[in-house]
Amino acid sequence: MDSEEKAPLLVPVPAPAVEGCPGCAMERRKASSNGRIPYKELFFVGVTSLASALPITCLFPFLYFMVRDFHIAKTEEDIGFYAGFLAASYMVGRGFSSIFWGILADRIGRKPVIAFSILSVVIFNTLFGLSTTYWMAITTRLVLGALNGLLAPIKAYCVEVCQTEHQALGLSIVNTAWALGLIVGPALEVTFHRFPYLLPCLSVSAFATIVLISCEWLPETIHKHKVPEMDTKIFKALSSEEGYWDPPRKKKSLLQNRPWISTMLPYCIFSLHDTAYSEILSLWAVSDRKYGGLSFSTEDIGQVFAMAGASLLVYQLIIYRWVHKILGAVNSSRIASAVSILVLATYPFMTYLSGVKLSFALYSAAMMRSALAITVNTGISLLQNNAVCQEQRGTANGISTTAMSFFKSIAPVGAGALFSWAQKRQDAAFLPGDRVVFMVLNLVQLLGLISTFEPFLVLPALPK
């Protein structure tokens, strides 16, 4: 075996620390932590991720009614179609700009990009709440998505402030921000008359303002000097077996990094599924029972989202670390994806229930689905961020965010169109109404599950 083949088995000697370099300061802090969890840094990760997630999650409980009040849909069955485009506009904007923000974060640092992204939330989320027309709402969401480049640098940041054994916890906190958003977003009451959807948006912007100010104390992690190409670290616990080794022993083009590229397919498919599920659940629950829905109010569906988010926080804080420790990132993602198919298959039958039975069934399914989804997403994100070196991590996350955002932009449009079509075929002989909607969701989930196996997913080989 030559030296090139032996390279992955060697733990490189750290480069000499450079005075005044924030990246070196972070490495010294991690080295002296004695394995402790960086609570302060992860708290910043949590609140900044939440401030970025809230503009997305606070929309779903009132999306149906907002589109209805714009009077752009000619019939009630068409509301879902227009709601899909409104929900997709944010992801379209983010898809066009994420690579730029990722590259910029690798050049100037994580902190400036994070701070600017939060500032964009403060401004444009407030403008979205002031929307009086359908097209104004779409425009403000589109610009907000384009200027909010937080996801790429925050994922890189949470990996860089954590030692290897805590990286799963760091990435799970980013994903859990979506869950916390589902608690806070629906809880914001709509009381304004002229701008009935301003209050939840204004509340999000106020929170983002506080987070923006707190960014002043956010420590930077990027190195301000040239770092030798020795970012190789042993990365264990990626599987339930002995462990996979971190592949990037030398800096090369991301397009030549097969393990990283192979994670894009499941990442995009599962992202598409999550967004489509969130919109369909909100539209299906509030639609009338004569169209196959549950006739829920906006408060009812808000409570479902809130309960699912609250249970997810408990799952992340107490249960997930043991799931990851026992199963690893790959196996936990596969098992969670398979179980999610079974859970989704129960939704169409809930239309036969009412009262306490309906509440129990829907709340239980929503809580289980949230925990399963976060398990899958955290596992894939962990594989992605440990397949590249630090100098490429922001760019890699920017590219993956761009790809994911385009899939997320397709999801609400497709979900809205599918839902509107399904409502018009309540008397169909094969898969009438909502049944065809959840069947399509399960087919997408199945494709995601298949993509986590070889040859679609390429994992670094174990050392011999």
Side-chain angles (χ1 to χ4, degrees):
M1 183 180 289
D2 56 27
S3 59
E4 180 69 11
E5 291 175 321
K6 294 179 182 177
L9 306 181
L10 301 178
V11 180
V13 177
V18 174
E19 191 67 28
C21 173
C24 291
M26 180 58 68
E27 293 300 327
R28 288 195 299 268
R29 185 181 305 176
K30 288 162 60 178
S32 62
S33 67
N34 296 322
R36 291 191 299 271
I37 298 175
Y39 290 106
K40 178 183 176 182
E41 287 78 9
L42 291 183
F43 173 77
F44 277 116
V45 168
V47 295
T48 52
S49 299
L50 175 60
S52 179
L54 278 173
I56 306 173
T57 58
C58 76
L59 174 68
F60 288 116
F62 60 76
L63 176 62
Y64 183 93
F65 303 99
M66 188 179 200
V67 174
R68 183 197 64 187
D69 293 345
F70 284 144
H71 303 294
I72 192 169
K74 295 181 179 179
T75 65
E76 186 176 351
E77 294 94 325
D78 292 330
I79 291 177
F81 176 78
Y82 288 97
F85 282 99
L86 179 56
S89 57
Y90 177 93
M91 294 300 170
V92 171
R94 191 169 75 174
F96 279 111
S97 65
S98 292
I99 295 179
F100 167 77
W101 293 118
I103 294 174
L104 190 64
D106 282 340
R107 298 285 179 86
I108 68 174
R110 319 299 188 206
K111 182 175 176 178
V113 177
I114 291 173
F116 180 82
S117 298
I118 298 300
L119 177 62
S120 70
V121 172
V122 174
I123 298 173
F124 288 95
N125 191 66
T126 303
L127 291 176
F128 172 70
L130 291 169
S131 297
T132 55
T133 66
Y134 179 76
W135 297 111
M136 179 180 177
I138 279 190
T139 302
T140 53
R141 293 280 292 180
L142 182 71
V143 177
L144 174 58
L147 297 182
N148 186 0
L150 182 131
L151 190 56
I154 202 64
K155 282 189 173 182
Y157 183 85
C158 73
V159 169
E160 291 159 2
V161 299
C162 292
Q163 292 183 324
T164 301
E165 61 268 25
H166 302 313
Q167 289 178 359
L169 174 62
L171 283 169
S172 71
I173 288 176
V174 175
N175 292 327
T176 304
W178 176 273
L180 191 55
L182 293 178
I183 299 174
V184 179
L188 302 175
E189 308 229 352
V190 179
T191 58
F192 286 7
H193 177 67
R194 177 72 177 95
F195 304 106
Y197 307 108
L198 174 61
L199 184 57
C201 298
L202 195 61
S203 302
V204 170
S205 299
F207 174 74
T209 302
I210 298 173
V211 174
L212 175 62
I213 296 172
S214 70
C215 284
E216 174 64 26
W217 294 277
L218 188 69
E220 181 58 77
T221 60
I222 199 73
H223 289 277
K224 298 298 184 181
H225 58 91
K226 185 174 178 59
V227 181
E229 293 175 353
M230 301 176 69
D231 195 32
T232 305
K233 291 182 292 186
I234 298 178
F235 181 70
K236 297 183 178 180
L238 282 186
S239 76
S240 57
E241 302 178 13
E242 189 169 329
Y244 290 97
W245 298 82
D246 192 11
R249 58 182 176 273
K250 60 170 64 176
K251 185 176 178 180
K252 59 182 179 181
S253 171
L254 287 172
L255 298 180
Q256 297 175 337
N257 190 333
R258 291 190 63 212
W260 175 75
I261 291 177
S262 69
T263 63
M264 298 287 282
L265 180 60
Y267 185 58
C268 290
I269 292 178
F270 287 125
S271 297
L272 181 148
H273 184 274
D274 290 345
T275 305
Y277 166 81
S278 296
E279 176 165 351
I280 284 177
L281 177 59
S282 61
L283 294 175
W284 170 67
V286 300
S287 63
D288 197 278
R289 279 190 176 267
K290 66 181 179 181
Y291 296 118
L294 301 179
S295 295
F296 274 25
S297 66
T298 183
E299 291 81 10
D300 293 332
I301 189 59
Q303 290 175 4
V304 173
F305 278 126
M307 185 62 70
S311 65
L312 188 49
L313 286 179
V314 175
Y315 173 76
Q316 287 290 86
L317 294 174
I318 301 176
I319 303 175
Y320 176 72
R321 63 177 66 185
W322 296 104
V323 172
H324 175 77
K325 184 176 182 180
I326 295 172
L327 298 176
V330 180
N331 289 335
S332 63
S333 297
R334 291 169 178 169
I335 293 173
S337 179
V339 176
S340 183
I341 293 176
L342 300 177
V343 174
L344 275 177
T346 66
Y347 277 73
F349 300 99
M350 294 182 191
T351 56
Y352 298 107
L353 303 176
S354 61
V356 176
K357 292 182 179 179
L358 173 59
S359 298
F360 177 78
L362 183 57
Y363 279 55
S364 299
M367 290 189 291
M368 289 181 61
R369 170 59 182 61
S370 295
L372 294 169
I374 211 72
T375 300
V376 174
N377 291 333
T378 301
I380 299 300
S381 295
L382 197 58
L383 291 173
Q384 283 186 334
N385 279 272
N386 282 278
V388 295
C389 58
Q390 186 190 36
E391 293 88 344
Q392 296 176 321
R393 195 165 284 140
T395 303
N397 278 308
I399 295 173
S400 62
T401 301
T402 291
M404 173 266 287
S405 296
F406 279 118
F407 274 75
K408 277 181 172 284
S409 66
I410 294 171
V413 175
L418 174 64
F419 183 78
S420 294
W421 172 71
Q423 285 200 319
K424 297 174 183 177
R425 58 187 305 276
Q426 297 297 321
D427 299 324
F430 179 70
L431 295 175
D434 58 310
R435 294 190 181 186
V436 70
V437 174
F438 289 103
M439 184 205 70
V440 173
L441 277 179
N442 263 340
L443 288 177
V444 175
Q445 184 77 8
L446 179 61
L447 289 177
L449 174 60
I450 294 172
S451 69
T452 63
F453 290 90
E454 294 181 334
F456 304 104
L457 185 64
V458 178
L459 295 171
L462 286 166
K464 306 211 176 163

